[in-house]
Amino acid sequence: MTDERTIAMERLREQGLGCTRCDLHLSGTHVVWGEGDLHAQVMLIGQGPGEQEAKAGRPFVGPSGEVLNEWLATTGIDRSKLWISNTIKHWATSLNERGRRVNRTPKTSEVQACRIWIEGELTIVAPKILVCIGAPSAQAIIDKKFKITESRGQWFKGPNDEDVIATFHPSYLIRLRAADVAAYDAAWAQVLDDFRAVAERAGELNIDLN
Ligand code: URA
């Protein structure tokens, strides 16, 4: 039987697929909608799709997704028990020196234009815990001046009184691995602490994540 959330999310998704609220819809790539358990009590909110996600039309399936999967597996969190979405739904790109499209940070105007979709997802899924992956997500959900390096791993309140925590983005770790192995190891351990904090808070709220 199709439940009310499925119907509501399908309606919202259909509207989102036709979104023209910012210029990113001109990119000609897929809208990457959230996915997972519509009854999830924990929702992950990333920055926005990368190249692989834009091709597949699914969140966190490329290199960042592999890193995220490792964090979840290491901290005993089952990905299928989450709702996973992004702050923006289209791939935000700039051209590199060889004329190739590469990821870029979303503009504030793009995040604002996309905000209605994440708000809609929050209303339908109604999670108790939000995990912001990376600064644009934390700035959209917690505070526009949020600094991951200063405030990751701390609990805040979300727009609907959810418990919210922010952590580093996998792409930051991927860049750090190539640049500074000691800093990478330290950041990796911090991310695992953050996901363990999520698992612990979920336990306190009787949310099954395993
Ligand atoms: N990075 C994100 O923030 N989200 C994705 O879905 C993939 C990469």
Side-chain angles (χ1 to χ4, degrees):
M1 203 179 72
T2 312
D3 75 3
E4 280 175 18
R5 288 188 194 205
T6 307
I7 295 166
M9 188 61 84
E10 197 41 44
R11 273 202 198 118
L12 187 72
R13 184 173 159 274
E14 272 171 22
Q15 292 169 29
L17 295 185
C19 182
T20 55
R21 294 171 58 86
C22 78
D23 285 350
L24 291 179
H25 77 280
L26 300 170
S27 67
T29 59
H30 284 294
V31 167
V32 176
W33 200 253
E35 69 173 27
D37 181 359
L38 278 173
H39 293 268
Q41 305 210 52
V42 179
M43 176 164 163
L44 263 55
I45 307 177
Q47 172 174 310
E51 183 169 12
Q52 299 304 320
E53 289 78 16
K55 278 190 183 141
R58 295 183 50 214
F60 284 105
V61 292
S64 285
E66 281 173 27
V67 172
L68 175 65
N69 288 346
E70 197 174 335
W71 293 340
L72 295 175
T74 307
T75 54
I77 298 174
D78 180 348
R79 179 171 165 146
S80 72
K81 299 215 166 140
L82 309 172
W83 183 258
I84 302 187
S85 195
N86 278 303
T87 310
I88 62 164
K89 307 284 191 250
H90 271 109
W91 183 26
T93 62
S94 54
L95 291 181
N96 72 7
E97 60 286 353
R98 281 174 289 159
R100 191 174 184 282
R101 284 207 275 187
V102 289
N103 296 340
R104 66 160 169 79
T105 306
K107 296 177 192 160
T108 309
S109 59
E110 292 161 350
V111 172
Q112 275 167 358
C114 226
R115 194 175 174 86
I116 58 159
W117 307 123
I118 205 83
E119 282 174 357
E121 290 175 281
L122 285 172
T123 304
I124 294 167
V125 181
K128 294 204 170 71
I129 297 175
L130 305 181
V131 186
C132 295
I133 312 281
S137 166
Q139 287 162 359
I141 299 293
I142 304 171
D143 181 337
K144 56 179 185 303
K145 296 212 165 77
F146 194 93
K147 287 202 167 66
I148 289 282
T149 42
E150 284 173 15
S151 303
R152 54 139 283 282
Q154 296 174 33
W155 288 102
F156 297 89
K157 280 295 176 183
N160 306 310
D161 209 36
E162 306 93 340
D163 289 332
V164 192
I165 194 168
T167 195
F168 292 123
H169 194 281
S171 63
Y172 169 69
L173 275 283
I174 291 169
R175 287 195 304 275
L176 207 53
R177 183 167 49 198
D180 182 341
V181 174
Y184 163 79
D185 286 344
W188 188 276
Q190 287 174 319
V191 175
L192 293 184
D193 284 346
D194 298 342
F195 276 99
R196 285 194 186 103
V198 171
E200 198 178 320
R201 179 60 56 99
E204 288 161 10
L205 298 176
N206 289 322
I207 300 169
D208 174 21
L209 289 183
N210 311 131

